[in-house]
Amino acid sequence: MATDLTSLRKLGGFVGAALVDSESGMLVAREGGGSIDMEVAAAANTEVIRAKRRAMDELNLEDKIEDILITLGEQYHVIRLLPSNESFFLYAAIDRNNGNLALARVAMKSQAEKMKL
């Protein structure tokens, strides 16, 4: 299925993942989440993408966002736009103590490329 996120559960340190419509901020699909409210994360990360797009416009950068990485004290948050439709993005939270940021980025890229929306 186009919105299946279960393969991301295999990531070391997996906390949660979501597929989000960046135009509305609405959650399309979710997997896990733990203590993270994935509805709130969807809306909040939509604002992160909007802010980056505004910054790119102001800097006259004619380029595309591939991913946005946020490193917290205990977690990595990875935002990956879908190449087939940049109105949608994947979001994943990974525990830093048990996860690997490089592997998470590879898995997110692979998952994003499989999704056709």
Side-chain angles (χ1 to χ4, degrees):
M1 176 182 247
T3 60
D4 184 15
L5 304 174
T6 56
S7 68
L8 294 175
R9 267 198 182 276
K10 298 174 188 170
L11 284 170
F14 176 83
V15 175
L19 174 64
V20 182
D21 176 349
S22 72
E23 292 182 6
S24 66
M26 299 297 292
L27 189 65
V28 176
R30 83 177 93 203
E31 186 70 27
S35 63
I36 297 175
D37 182 330
M38 298 306 276
E39 297 272 353
V40 172
N45 285 302
T46 294
E47 291 304 315
V48 170
I49 289 174
R50 288 178 182 163
K52 187 59 189 172
R53 285 179 172 152
R54 279 192 306 273
M56 289 173 65
D57 285 344
E58 290 176 18
L59 295 169
N60 294 315
L61 297 176
E62 294 186 25
D63 207 345
K64 292 182 179 183
I65 299 170
E66 287 186 7
D67 59 19
I68 297 173
L69 311 172
I70 301 168
T71 304
L72 304 176
E74 296 182 11
Q75 293 180 339
Y76 297 120
H77 290 211
V78 182
I79 301 167
R80 180 83 189 193
L81 276 71
L82 270 57
S84 65
N85 186 341
E86 292 184 1
S87 294
F88 292 88
F89 68 90
L90 289 174
Y91 160 76
I94 308 296
D95 181 278
R96 282 183 70 166
N97 293 320
N98 301 310
N100 179 304
L101 180 57
L103 292 176
R105 288 186 70 208
V106 168
M108 293 284 284
K109 180 180 180 185
S110 175
Q111 183 69 36
E113 289 172 348
K114 291 177 192 172
M115 297 184 140
K116 307 293 183 210
L117 298 175

